[in-house]
């Protein structure tokens, strides 16, 4: 896990947009008044959706909103890689660099990110892309994985990643999920077991009978 620090260059101020504040209040209302700091993660997320990243003035504003020390908000923001501590491109790639993904080709994907986007955390000159390496994103079965914006792209090859970058550069929407058509986390090529269609069509759902069930009540 790399050290995560706030960006060297920070804006002078931060202000909640009206919709962000409305949503933040919805989250705060979910918790007892003396536990409103429990809303810190969703509010950090809302702020990131508003600004694209989490700045120091935003952390200060969140701390004030939740009556909690700034250091506590900073601890959360720096712990979770889902929070961007630097400005990012319109599309931010989080490439998993943990062992299962490396064994399945993450290093090759990293080369594509470097050649097509640039160095880690740098925003591409057109402002469209940025990337970073993160620890396991919990989808190891479908390694190698890159989270692009809010969605996972799995079973990636360098060619599949290039195609995703090309599509985003053309302004197209990209389909998340497995690049090889894997269904959820089933084996490649489809499931090997539990293939009987009657398992899924409801035909086996008969009323349950047990030997010691009471007799139905007589009218
Ligand atoms: S190691 Fe990459 S998703 Fe778990």
């Amino acid at each position: 896990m790399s050290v995560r620090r706030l960006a060297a260059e920070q804006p002078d101020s931060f202000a909640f947009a009206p919709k962000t504040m409305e949503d933040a209040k919805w989250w705060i209302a979910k918790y007892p008044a003396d536990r409103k700091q429990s809303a810190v993660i969703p509010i950090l997320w809302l702020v990131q959706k508003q600004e694209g990243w989490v700045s120091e003035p935003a952390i200060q504003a969140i701390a004030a909103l939740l009556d909690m020390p700034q250091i506590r908000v900073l601890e959360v923001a720096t712990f979770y890689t889902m929070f961007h501590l630097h400005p990012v491109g319109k599309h931010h790639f989080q490439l998993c660099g943990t062992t299962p993904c490396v064994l399945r080709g993450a290093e090759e994907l990293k080369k594509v990110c470097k050649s097509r986007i640039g160095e880690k955390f740098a925003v591409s000159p057109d402002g469209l892309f940025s990337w970073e390496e993160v620890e396991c994103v919990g989808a190891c079965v479908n390694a190698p994985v890159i989270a692009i914006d809010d969605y996972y792209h799995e079973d990636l090859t360098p060619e599949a990643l290039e195609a995703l970058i090309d599509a985003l550069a053309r302004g197209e929407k990209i389909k998340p999920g497995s690049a090889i058509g894997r269904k959820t986390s089933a084996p490649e090529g489809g499931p090997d077991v539990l293939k009987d269609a009657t398992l899924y069509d409801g035909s086996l759902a008969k009323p349950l009978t047990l030997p010691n069930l009471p007799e139905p009540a007589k009218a």
Side-chain angles (χ1 to χ4, degrees):
M1 184 76 178
S2 55
V3 176
R4 284 166 47 78
R5 298 187 194 286
L6 294 175
E9 284 185 31
Q10 293 286 336
D12 294 335
S13 61
F14 165 81
F16 290 99
K19 178 72 173 119
T20 308
M21 182 54 89
E22 182 189 326
D23 292 345
K25 285 185 177 159
W26 184 89
W27 280 102
I28 291 169
K30 286 171 68 76
Y31 301 100
D34 62 346
R35 294 283 186 276
K36 62 181 180 178
Q37 59 269 39
S38 301
V40 67
I41 287 180
I43 293 177
L44 276 163
W45 185 251
L46 290 171
V47 163
Q48 179 162 289
K49 285 288 170 197
Q50 176 187 313
E51 301 286 294
W53 64 295
V54 177
S55 66
E56 189 170 12
I59 286 175
Q60 291 163 350
I62 294 169
L65 180 69
L66 297 177
D67 290 330
M68 60 193 288
Q70 288 173 26
I71 185 66
R72 295 281 173 238
V73 184
L74 183 67
E75 284 168 352
V76 176
T78 52
F79 181 79
Y80 293 106
T81 50
M82 64 194 265
F83 297 124
H84 311 320
L85 303 178
H86 303 256
V88 295
K90 181 176 176 201
H91 303 292
H92 185 64
F93 292 40
Q94 292 192 308
L95 179 149
C96 173
T98 304
T99 310
C101 280
V102 170
L103 292 174
R104 296 266 297 171
E107 288 300 319
E108 294 306 307
L109 301 182
K110 214 186 280 183
K111 286 182 195 157
V112 173
C113 288
K114 276 190 184 157
S115 70
R116 293 292 304 270
I117 300 175
E119 288 304 314
K120 254 186 239 182
F121 293 113
V123 178
S124 60
D126 56 9
L128 275 183
F129 300 110
S130 56
W131 75 282
E132 68 179 301
E133 182 176 334
V134 295
E135 299 297 330
C136 177
V137 294
C140 328
V141 173
N142 298 359
V145 178
I146 297 184
I148 302 179
D149 304 328
D150 293 342
Y151 294 97
Y152 284 6
H153 295 262
E154 304 153 357
D155 294 312
L156 285 171
T157 59
E159 296 74 28
L161 177 56
E162 296 258 14
L164 290 173
I165 295 172
D166 288 340
L168 290 171
R170 291 192 297 268
E172 297 170 7
K173 290 219 178 311
I174 53 173
K175 191 165 164 281
S178 168
I180 57 170
R182 187 202 298 267
K183 209 166 184 190
T184 61
S185 52
E188 287 183 32
D192 291 328
V193 294
L194 300 174
K195 298 201 299 196
D196 184 344
T198 60
L199 289 169
Y200 309 101
D201 65 7
S203 61
L204 298 179
K206 299 189 185 106
L208 182 68
T209 56
L210 291 172
N212 54 351
L213 281 181
E215 290 286 319
K218 297 211 168 66

